[in-house]
Amino acid sequence: MDESIVVGIDIGTTKVCTLVARIEGERNLRILGVGIAPSQGIRKGNIIDLAAASQAIARSVEKAQRTSGLEITSALVSLAGSHVSSVNSRGVVGISGRVIDQYDVDRALESAQAVAIPHNREIIHVIQRGFTVDGQDGIRMPVGMHGYRLEVEAHIITAAAATVENLRQCVQAAGVQVSQFVLNPLASAEVVLTETERQMGCVVVDIGGGTTDMAIYIDGDVWHTMVIAIGGNLVTSDIAQGLRLPISQAEEVKKEHAFAVESAISADDVFTTRPFGEDQPIQFSRKDLAMITEARLEEIFTFVMQEIKRSGYDGLLPAGMILTGGSSLIPGIKDLASRVMNMPTRVARPENLIGLVDQLNSPAYSTSVGLLYWAMFLNETAPKTHRKPGPQINVNWDTIKNIFKNLLP
């Protein structure tokens, strides 16, 4: 495919979204193809039915190919799930007083990867956070500097190798090669964060159907990432049980009538729907629905707050929380989040898109669009994810045989 064409496949619990875009001018993306299909065989970021998941991905890819007129051979693919974990590591290498080049930076990052990672886990991202040259810290990029000792702070994100391989197999079954996996909140951050928020310190929280994905940014870099295995589907499930509705109907009720703050709803406000066992639609109080919604969302934000405190960075986030993902569309969620988290909150969505963007101006597509931005930055700069292959050694066996012949009597 043309180098200026980028493709992202966002595989979520609720939907699979394939986007094809062309890079135009300076960091502009024109959306050429959109393929959205209901997700199947995936729960909380994990594959539970390989065949069903492959078919859902294939349908999404086929729609994107049809609308763009391009054949999709490789793509960046989103990754989430409770199997994802992260650790901060430090790598140190000697320089001998000469000028630091990219090879030294690569060696330092490789040194940072020398942490004890179980054999059943795979490194997804190694993200450089900052460098120290001869004790001077806070250096953004040391290439071109003189020094004797180079240190790098790196954020290493790993995932269960079997889960990653299952996801790769599903995408390949749809006829597409995975060029790289990208963690959901890192993709979302590419489109929803401002440079000021990255520098000041903030947390991106992407509430999807099956998972709530979060990434803490401080001084412009990722400091902590986490995936919590609950999401908007739990709100739907509670509504289904509380009002005795089928799940599909509960999802519609959530989208049309739910509100995140019970006290903001009048006791006279009602809506009609038909629960199990009833011949005719009956009236329900929106206040009761808001009570169910508020309780579950409050629980999600409490988990997020606990994770931020556990990371130790809760006092370093003056820019607050940036909410995105499909569940952030519930009215009133911003006020609830601000109250529970006790920090500034805004709901963010992809902006400044051109091309086929009718559906994409929604928080539900932040990860999908973010994958395209991630692919664009990989095209124009050294990748944020450092996965350097081992040294390539070409062995000339004839030469080795001749050497041994000369040594033998």
Side-chain angles (χ1 to χ4, degrees):
M1 289 178 72
D2 186 348
E3 278 189 10
S4 65
I5 300 293
V6 288
V7 183
I9 305 177
D10 177 16
I11 302 171
T13 305
T14 309
K15 67 182 185 310
V16 180
C17 178
T18 303
L19 297 182
V20 182
R22 181 190 293 118
I23 302 169
E24 294 185 348
E26 285 193 12
R27 299 189 175 183
N28 287 327
L29 287 172
R30 178 176 292 278
I31 308 296
L32 303 177
V34 179
I36 300 166
S39 189
Q40 292 178 320
I42 300 160
R43 183 179 297 154
K44 297 184 178 181
N46 297 321
I47 304 293
I48 57 170
D49 185 332
L50 212 66
S54 296
Q55 286 169 9
I57 294 166
R59 281 194 292 272
S60 171
V61 169
E62 187 185 341
K63 285 180 183 177
Q65 288 183 146
R66 207 163 49 236
T67 53
S68 67
L70 297 167
E71 184 186 358
I72 297 171
T73 54
S74 67
L76 264 69
V77 176
S78 68
L79 181 74
S82 56
H83 61 94
V84 175
S85 63
S86 65
V87 62
N88 293 324
S89 177
R90 182 178 283 268
V92 184
V93 291
I95 307 298
S96 310
R98 57 183 174 77
V99 174
I100 298 168
D101 59 17
Q102 187 59 44
Y103 174 67
D104 298 315
V105 172
D106 291 346
R107 284 197 302 129
L109 283 165
E110 281 181 357
S111 172
Q113 288 182 63
V115 290
I117 294 170
H119 69 279
N120 62 342
R121 297 195 68 77
E122 182 177 327
I123 292 177
I124 303 299
H125 298 289
V126 179
I127 302 168
Q128 58 200 43
R129 268 173 35 182
F131 295 90
T132 303
V133 178
D134 295 349
Q136 181 191 343
D137 58 8
I139 293 170
R140 301 289 297 172
M141 180 44 72
V143 173
M145 295 181 174
H146 285 266
Y148 289 86
R149 175 187 168 94
L150 174 66
E151 297 175 58
V152 63
E153 283 265 355
H155 184 68
I156 299 174
I157 299 170
T158 66
T163 306
V164 172
E165 194 51 47
N166 287 338
L167 195 55
R168 184 181 280 116
Q169 198 175 325
C170 282
V171 177
Q172 287 176 348
V176 180
Q177 293 297 315
V178 179
S179 57
Q180 185 181 316
F181 286 107
V182 180
L183 191 65
N184 277 15
L186 300 186
S188 298
E190 291 295 338
V191 291
V192 302
L193 286 192
T194 65
E195 193 55 39
T196 306
E197 286 168 337
R198 286 173 187 262
Q199 292 295 334
M200 289 291 291
C202 66
V203 56
V204 180
V205 178
D206 186 329
I207 309 178
T211 61
T212 297
D213 316 316
M214 52 185 288
I216 292 174
Y217 283 78
I218 301 171
D219 293 335
D221 293 310
V222 181
W223 283 51
H224 183 73
T225 49
M226 181 67 187
V227 178
I228 303 167
I230 56 172
N233 285 356
L234 252 64
V235 179
T236 307
S237 174
D238 275 14
I239 292 169
Q241 291 182 31
L243 306 186
R244 298 193 174 100
L245 302 172
I247 288 288
S248 58
Q249 205 171 323
E251 180 68 23
E252 288 303 313
V253 166
K254 181 180 81 172
K255 287 179 178 177
E256 290 178 26
H257 306 292
F259 201 86
V261 182
E262 182 196 353
S263 59
I265 299 295
S266 164
D268 302 328
D269 203 344
V270 295
F271 66 95
T272 57
T273 190
R274 189 161 68 89
F276 285 116
E278 296 291 338
D279 297 328
Q280 298 294 326
I282 62 173
Q283 284 192 340
F284 289 95
S285 165
R286 266 194 84 200
K287 199 171 182 67
D288 291 343
L289 177 64
M291 182 181 69
I292 295 170
T293 308
E294 181 176 5
R296 184 54 86 186
L297 289 176
E298 198 169 311
E299 184 183 358
I300 290 172
F301 289 129
T302 302
F303 276 118
V304 171
M305 195 68 219
Q306 286 172 355
E307 183 58 35
I308 292 172
K309 285 182 175 172
R310 194 179 70 80
S311 74
Y313 303 127
D314 51 316
L316 301 172
L317 307 173
M321 177 166 68
I322 291 81
L323 262 183
T324 193
S327 298
S328 68
L329 287 165
I330 296 173
I333 195 168
K334 174 180 176 291
D335 297 331
L336 177 67
S338 294
R339 190 184 78 215
V340 175
M341 306 285 290
N342 193 28
M343 62 171 65
T345 302
R346 72 178 180 91
V347 177
R349 64 187 67 216
E351 293 176 349
N352 304 323
L353 298 173
I354 49 177
L356 304 173
V357 298
D358 296 347
Q359 290 174 279
L360 304 181
N361 292 318
S362 161
Y365 296 100
S366 293
T367 300
S368 312
V369 176
L371 287 170
L372 299 178
Y373 277 93
W374 191 280
M376 178 170 66
F377 295 144
L378 286 182
N379 272 11
E380 64 189 28
T381 61
K384 295 181 181 189
T385 306
H386 179 78
R387 293 297 305 279
K388 190 177 179 185
Q392 299 298 311
I393 301 171
N394 297 315
V395 180
N396 189 328
W397 292 109
D398 291 333
T399 305
I400 290 172
K401 282 178 191 171
N402 290 334
I403 292 169
F404 277 106
K405 277 181 187 174
N406 293 335
L407 290 173
L408 292 170

PDB file of all heavy atoms in Angstrom, residues 170-197:
ATOM      1  N   CYS A 170      -6.933 -13.738  14.841  1.00  0.00           N
ATOM      2  CA  CYS A 170      -8.249 -13.278  14.353  1.00  0.00           C
ATOM      3  C   CYS A 170      -8.105 -12.269  13.220  1.00  0.00           C
ATOM      4  O   CYS A 170      -8.826 -12.332  12.223  1.00  0.00           O
ATOM      5  CB  CYS A 170      -9.021 -12.624  15.502  1.00  0.00           C
ATOM      6  SG  CYS A 170      -9.751 -13.792  16.634  1.00  0.00           S
ATOM      7  N   VAL A 171      -7.159 -11.325  13.398  1.00  0.00           N
ATOM      8  CA  VAL A 171      -6.954 -10.288  12.377  1.00  0.00           C
ATOM      9  C   VAL A 171      -6.385 -10.916  11.102  1.00  0.00           C
ATOM     10  O   VAL A 171      -6.811 -10.585   9.985  1.00  0.00           O
ATOM     11  CB  VAL A 171      -6.026  -9.177  12.910  1.00  0.00           C
ATOM     12  CG1 VAL A 171      -5.756  -8.137  11.831  1.00  0.00           C
ATOM     13  CG2 VAL A 171      -6.651  -8.501  14.127  1.00  0.00           C
ATOM     14  N   GLN A 172      -5.451 -11.854  11.250  1.00  0.00           N
ATOM     15  CA  GLN A 172      -4.857 -12.518  10.089  1.00  0.00           C
ATOM     16  C   GLN A 172      -5.893 -13.354   9.348  1.00  0.00           C
ATOM     17  O   GLN A 172      -5.846 -13.465   8.121  1.00  0.00           O
ATOM     18  CB  GLN A 172      -3.674 -13.378  10.524  1.00  0.00           C
ATOM     19  CG  GLN A 172      -2.449 -12.551  10.903  1.00  0.00           C
ATOM     20  CD  GLN A 172      -1.304 -13.403  11.439  1.00  0.00           C
ATOM     21  OE1 GLN A 172      -1.485 -14.582  11.741  1.00  0.00           O
ATOM     22  NE2 GLN A 172      -0.133 -12.802  11.584  1.00  0.00           N
ATOM     23  N   ALA A 173      -6.834 -13.937  10.094  1.00  0.00           N
ATOM     24  CA  ALA A 173      -7.898 -14.723   9.454  1.00  0.00           C
ATOM     25  C   ALA A 173      -8.778 -13.835   8.583  1.00  0.00           C
ATOM     26  O   ALA A 173      -9.423 -14.317   7.646  1.00  0.00           O
ATOM     27  CB  ALA A 173      -8.737 -15.424  10.515  1.00  0.00           C
ATOM     28  N   ALA A 174      -8.795 -12.532   8.878  1.00  0.00           N
ATOM     29  CA  ALA A 174      -9.553 -11.577   8.056  1.00  0.00           C
ATOM     30  C   ALA A 174      -8.704 -11.058   6.891  1.00  0.00           C
ATOM     31  O   ALA A 174      -9.130 -10.153   6.166  1.00  0.00           O
ATOM     32  CB  ALA A 174     -10.028 -10.411   8.922  1.00  0.00           C
ATOM     33  N   GLY A 175      -7.485 -11.624   6.730  1.00  0.00           N
ATOM     34  CA  GLY A 175      -6.629 -11.262   5.598  1.00  0.00           C
ATOM     35  C   GLY A 175      -5.766 -10.037   5.819  1.00  0.00           C
ATOM     36  O   GLY A 175      -5.278  -9.429   4.867  1.00  0.00           O
ATOM     37  N   VAL A 176      -5.570  -9.648   7.087  1.00  0.00           N
ATOM     38  CA  VAL A 176      -4.791  -8.442   7.401  1.00  0.00           C
ATOM     39  C   VAL A 176      -3.656  -8.802   8.360  1.00  0.00           C
ATOM     40  O   VAL A 176      -3.864  -9.529   9.327  1.00  0.00           O
ATOM     41  CB  VAL A 176      -5.695  -7.357   8.050  1.00  0.00           C
ATOM     42  CG1 VAL A 176      -4.896  -6.096   8.372  1.00  0.00           C
ATOM     43  CG2 VAL A 176      -6.871  -7.022   7.143  1.00  0.00           C
ATOM     44  N   GLN A 177      -2.460  -8.273   8.073  1.00  0.00           N
ATOM     45  CA  GLN A 177      -1.316  -8.467   8.968  1.00  0.00           C
ATOM     46  C   GLN A 177      -1.302  -7.355  10.023  1.00  0.00           C
ATOM     47  O   GLN A 177      -1.581  -6.200   9.715  1.00  0.00           O
ATOM     48  CB  GLN A 177       0.005  -8.431   8.178  1.00  0.00           C
ATOM     49  CG  GLN A 177       0.198  -9.593   7.228  1.00  0.00           C
ATOM     50  CD  GLN A 177       0.266 -10.931   7.942  1.00  0.00           C
ATOM     51  OE1 GLN A 177       0.951 -11.072   8.960  1.00  0.00           O
ATOM     52  NE2 GLN A 177      -0.446 -11.927   7.419  1.00  0.00           N
ATOM     53  N   VAL A 178      -0.962  -7.720  11.256  1.00  0.00           N
ATOM     54  CA  VAL A 178      -0.865  -6.725  12.337  1.00  0.00           C
ATOM     55  C   VAL A 178       0.526  -6.102  12.285  1.00  0.00           C
ATOM     56  O   VAL A 178       1.525  -6.767  12.541  1.00  0.00           O
ATOM     57  CB  VAL A 178      -1.097  -7.375  13.715  1.00  0.00           C
ATOM     58  CG1 VAL A 178      -0.957  -6.325  14.823  1.00  0.00           C
ATOM     59  CG2 VAL A 178      -2.463  -8.044  13.774  1.00  0.00           C
ATOM     60  N   SER A 179       0.599  -4.803  11.937  1.00  0.00           N
ATOM     61  CA  SER A 179       1.913  -4.149  11.910  1.00  0.00           C
ATOM     62  C   SER A 179       2.355  -3.778  13.323  1.00  0.00           C
ATOM     63  O   SER A 179       3.546  -3.759  13.616  1.00  0.00           O
ATOM     64  CB  SER A 179       1.885  -2.905  11.012  1.00  0.00           C
ATOM     65  OG  SER A 179       0.886  -2.002  11.433  1.00  0.00           O
ATOM     66  N   GLN A 180       1.383  -3.516  14.199  1.00  0.00           N
ATOM     67  CA  GLN A 180       1.715  -3.228  15.595  1.00  0.00           C
ATOM     68  C   GLN A 180       0.439  -3.181  16.418  1.00  0.00           C
ATOM     69  O   GLN A 180      -0.615  -2.791  15.935  1.00  0.00           O
ATOM     70  CB  GLN A 180       2.431  -1.873  15.707  1.00  0.00           C
ATOM     71  CG  GLN A 180       2.923  -1.558  17.108  1.00  0.00           C
ATOM     72  CD  GLN A 180       3.601  -0.204  17.173  1.00  0.00           C
ATOM     73  OE1 GLN A 180       4.400   0.146  16.314  1.00  0.00           O
ATOM     74  NE2 GLN A 180       3.286   0.568  18.184  1.00  0.00           N
ATOM     75  N   PHE A 181       0.528  -3.612  17.685  1.00  0.00           N
ATOM     76  CA  PHE A 181      -0.576  -3.425  18.625  1.00  0.00           C
ATOM     77  C   PHE A 181      -0.358  -2.115  19.368  1.00  0.00           C
ATOM     78  O   PHE A 181       0.769  -1.763  19.700  1.00  0.00           O
ATOM     79  CB  PHE A 181      -0.640  -4.581  19.626  1.00  0.00           C
ATOM     80  CG  PHE A 181      -1.179  -5.858  19.049  1.00  0.00           C
ATOM     81  CD1 PHE A 181      -0.335  -6.931  18.782  1.00  0.00           C
ATOM     82  CD2 PHE A 181      -2.534  -5.994  18.765  1.00  0.00           C
ATOM     83  CE1 PHE A 181      -0.830  -8.106  18.252  1.00  0.00           C
ATOM     84  CE2 PHE A 181      -3.033  -7.165  18.222  1.00  0.00           C
ATOM     85  CZ  PHE A 181      -2.180  -8.223  17.967  1.00  0.00           C
ATOM     86  N   VAL A 182      -1.446  -1.396  19.632  1.00  0.00           N
ATOM     87  CA  VAL A 182      -1.376  -0.127  20.368  1.00  0.00           C
ATOM     88  C   VAL A 182      -2.394  -0.185  21.501  1.00  0.00           C
ATOM     89  O   VAL A 182      -3.568  -0.502  21.270  1.00  0.00           O
ATOM     90  CB  VAL A 182      -1.675   1.082  19.453  1.00  0.00           C
ATOM     91  CG1 VAL A 182      -1.594   2.383  20.250  1.00  0.00           C
ATOM     92  CG2 VAL A 182      -0.711   1.119  18.273  1.00  0.00           C
ATOM     93  N   LEU A 183      -1.955   0.110  22.709  1.00  0.00           N
ATOM     94  CA  LEU A 183      -2.848   0.102  23.863  1.00  0.00           C
ATOM     95  C   LEU A 183      -3.918   1.196  23.706  1.00  0.00           C
ATOM     96  O   LEU A 183      -3.611   2.329  23.349  1.00  0.00           O
ATOM     97  CB  LEU A 183      -2.044   0.334  25.143  1.00  0.00           C
ATOM     98  CG  LEU A 183      -2.781   0.092  26.463  1.00  0.00           C
ATOM     99  CD1 LEU A 183      -3.159  -1.374  26.605  1.00  0.00           C
ATOM    100  CD2 LEU A 183      -1.934   0.539  27.647  1.00  0.00           C
ATOM    101  N   ASN A 184      -5.174   0.838  23.989  1.00  0.00           N
ATOM    102  CA  ASN A 184      -6.314   1.752  23.772  1.00  0.00           C
ATOM    103  C   ASN A 184      -6.117   3.172  24.296  1.00  0.00           C
ATOM    104  O   ASN A 184      -6.309   4.134  23.546  1.00  0.00           O
ATOM    105  CB  ASN A 184      -7.584   1.159  24.406  1.00  0.00           C
ATOM    106  CG  ASN A 184      -8.266   0.162  23.498  1.00  0.00           C
ATOM    107  OD1 ASN A 184      -7.675  -0.303  22.529  1.00  0.00           O
ATOM    108  ND2 ASN A 184      -9.493  -0.177  23.804  1.00  0.00           N
ATOM    109  N   PRO A 185      -5.767   3.357  25.592  1.00  0.00           N
ATOM    110  CA  PRO A 185      -5.699   4.744  26.089  1.00  0.00           C
ATOM    111  C   PRO A 185      -4.588   5.567  25.441  1.00  0.00           C
ATOM    112  O   PRO A 185      -4.697   6.787  25.345  1.00  0.00           O
ATOM    113  CB  PRO A 185      -5.456   4.575  27.595  1.00  0.00           C
ATOM    114  CG  PRO A 185      -4.879   3.214  27.747  1.00  0.00           C
ATOM    115  CD  PRO A 185      -5.486   2.389  26.658  1.00  0.00           C
ATOM    116  N   LEU A 186      -3.522   4.904  24.958  1.00  0.00           N
ATOM    117  CA  LEU A 186      -2.445   5.627  24.278  1.00  0.00           C
ATOM    118  C   LEU A 186      -2.925   6.114  22.909  1.00  0.00           C
ATOM    119  O   LEU A 186      -2.584   7.224  22.476  1.00  0.00           O
ATOM    120  CB  LEU A 186      -1.207   4.741  24.113  1.00  0.00           C
ATOM    121  CG  LEU A 186      -0.574   4.198  25.400  1.00  0.00           C
ATOM    122  CD1 LEU A 186       0.726   3.466  25.083  1.00  0.00           C
ATOM    123  CD2 LEU A 186      -0.310   5.314  26.402  1.00  0.00           C
ATOM    124  N   ALA A 187      -3.732   5.287  22.234  1.00  0.00           N
ATOM    125  CA  ALA A 187      -4.303   5.709  20.950  1.00  0.00           C
ATOM    126  C   ALA A 187      -5.280   6.861  21.169  1.00  0.00           C
ATOM    127  O   ALA A 187      -5.223   7.881  20.470  1.00  0.00           O
ATOM    128  CB  ALA A 187      -4.995   4.528  20.269  1.00  0.00           C
ATOM    129  N   SER A 188      -6.155   6.716  22.162  1.00  0.00           N
ATOM    130  CA  SER A 188      -7.142   7.773  22.447  1.00  0.00           C
ATOM    131  C   SER A 188      -6.460   9.093  22.783  1.00  0.00           C
ATOM    132  O   SER A 188      -6.895  10.161  22.350  1.00  0.00           O
ATOM    133  CB  SER A 188      -8.050   7.357  23.614  1.00  0.00           C
ATOM    134  OG  SER A 188      -8.775   6.192  23.295  1.00  0.00           O
ATOM    135  N   ALA A 189      -5.373   9.019  23.559  1.00  0.00           N
ATOM    136  CA  ALA A 189      -4.664  10.227  23.990  1.00  0.00           C
ATOM    137  C   ALA A 189      -4.149  11.036  22.806  1.00  0.00           C
ATOM    138  O   ALA A 189      -4.039  12.264  22.882  1.00  0.00           O
ATOM    139  CB  ALA A 189      -3.508   9.859  24.913  1.00  0.00           C
ATOM    140  N   GLU A 190      -3.835  10.355  21.694  1.00  0.00           N
ATOM    141  CA  GLU A 190      -3.310  11.059  20.510  1.00  0.00           C
ATOM    142  C   GLU A 190      -4.303  12.078  19.954  1.00  0.00           C
ATOM    143  O   GLU A 190      -3.908  13.073  19.357  1.00  0.00           O
ATOM    144  CB  GLU A 190      -2.936  10.057  19.408  1.00  0.00           C
ATOM    145  CG  GLU A 190      -1.736   9.178  19.719  1.00  0.00           C
ATOM    146  CD  GLU A 190      -0.445   9.962  19.844  1.00  0.00           C
ATOM    147  OE1 GLU A 190      -0.358  11.078  19.308  1.00  0.00           O
ATOM    148  OE2 GLU A 190       0.472   9.468  20.506  1.00  0.00           O
ATOM    149  N   VAL A 191      -5.602  11.821  20.166  1.00  0.00           N
ATOM    150  CA  VAL A 191      -6.598  12.739  19.591  1.00  0.00           C
ATOM    151  C   VAL A 191      -7.306  13.612  20.623  1.00  0.00           C
ATOM    152  O   VAL A 191      -7.891  14.626  20.262  1.00  0.00           O
ATOM    153  CB  VAL A 191      -7.668  11.983  18.758  1.00  0.00           C
ATOM    154  CG1 VAL A 191      -7.092  11.408  17.505  1.00  0.00           C
ATOM    155  CG2 VAL A 191      -8.359  10.910  19.573  1.00  0.00           C
ATOM    156  N   VAL A 192      -7.276  13.231  21.908  1.00  0.00           N
ATOM    157  CA  VAL A 192      -8.074  13.987  22.881  1.00  0.00           C
ATOM    158  C   VAL A 192      -7.248  14.909  23.776  1.00  0.00           C
ATOM    159  O   VAL A 192      -7.801  15.813  24.399  1.00  0.00           O
ATOM    160  CB  VAL A 192      -8.939  13.050  23.767  1.00  0.00           C
ATOM    161  CG1 VAL A 192      -9.851  12.201  22.910  1.00  0.00           C
ATOM    162  CG2 VAL A 192      -8.085  12.173  24.675  1.00  0.00           C
ATOM    163  N   LEU A 193      -5.934  14.709  23.848  1.00  0.00           N
ATOM    164  CA  LEU A 193      -5.109  15.524  24.753  1.00  0.00           C
ATOM    165  C   LEU A 193      -4.528  16.741  24.048  1.00  0.00           C
ATOM    166  O   LEU A 193      -4.121  16.660  22.886  1.00  0.00           O
ATOM    167  CB  LEU A 193      -3.950  14.697  25.314  1.00  0.00           C
ATOM    168  CG  LEU A 193      -4.257  13.662  26.387  1.00  0.00           C
ATOM    169  CD1 LEU A 193      -2.958  13.166  27.019  1.00  0.00           C
ATOM    170  CD2 LEU A 193      -5.172  14.196  27.459  1.00  0.00           C
ATOM    171  N   THR A 194      -4.452  17.855  24.772  1.00  0.00           N
ATOM    172  CA  THR A 194      -3.706  19.011  24.282  1.00  0.00           C
ATOM    173  C   THR A 194      -2.283  18.915  24.826  1.00  0.00           C
ATOM    174  O   THR A 194      -2.026  18.210  25.816  1.00  0.00           O
ATOM    175  CB  THR A 194      -4.339  20.326  24.764  1.00  0.00           C
ATOM    176  OG1 THR A 194      -4.217  20.395  26.200  1.00  0.00           O
ATOM    177  CG2 THR A 194      -5.801  20.408  24.379  1.00  0.00           C
ATOM    178  N   GLU A 195      -1.356  19.617  24.197  1.00  0.00           N
ATOM    179  CA  GLU A 195       0.036  19.590  24.651  1.00  0.00           C
ATOM    180  C   GLU A 195       0.152  20.131  26.079  1.00  0.00           C
ATOM    181  O   GLU A 195       0.948  19.633  26.880  1.00  0.00           O
ATOM    182  CB  GLU A 195       0.913  20.415  23.689  1.00  0.00           C
ATOM    183  CG  GLU A 195       2.412  20.206  23.878  1.00  0.00           C
ATOM    184  CD  GLU A 195       2.834  18.738  23.775  1.00  0.00           C
ATOM    185  OE1 GLU A 195       2.296  18.010  22.922  1.00  0.00           O
ATOM    186  OE2 GLU A 195       3.681  18.316  24.595  1.00  0.00           O
ATOM    187  N   THR A 196      -0.651  21.143  26.407  1.00  0.00           N
ATOM    188  CA  THR A 196      -0.630  21.719  27.763  1.00  0.00           C
ATOM    189  C   THR A 196      -1.039  20.686  28.800  1.00  0.00           C
ATOM    190  O   THR A 196      -0.415  20.571  29.864  1.00  0.00           O
ATOM    191  CB  THR A 196      -1.580  22.932  27.850  1.00  0.00           C
ATOM    192  OG1 THR A 196      -1.229  23.855  26.823  1.00  0.00           O
ATOM    193  CG2 THR A 196      -1.488  23.613  29.198  1.00  0.00           C
ATOM    194  N   GLU A 197      -2.086  19.903  28.505  1.00  0.00           N
ATOM    195  CA  GLU A 197      -2.538  18.863  29.441  1.00  0.00           C
ATOM    196  C   GLU A 197      -1.473  17.803  29.646  1.00  0.00           C
ATOM    197  O   GLU A 197      -1.237  17.348  30.773  1.00  0.00           O
ATOM    198  CB  GLU A 197      -3.830  18.223  28.921  1.00  0.00           C
ATOM    199  CG  GLU A 197      -5.050  19.117  29.069  1.00  0.00           C
ATOM    200  CD  GLU A 197      -6.260  18.621  28.302  1.00  0.00           C
ATOM    201  OE1 GLU A 197      -6.086  17.860  27.325  1.00  0.00           O
ATOM    202  OE2 GLU A 197      -7.384  19.015  28.676  1.00  0.00           O
TER     203      GLU A 197
END
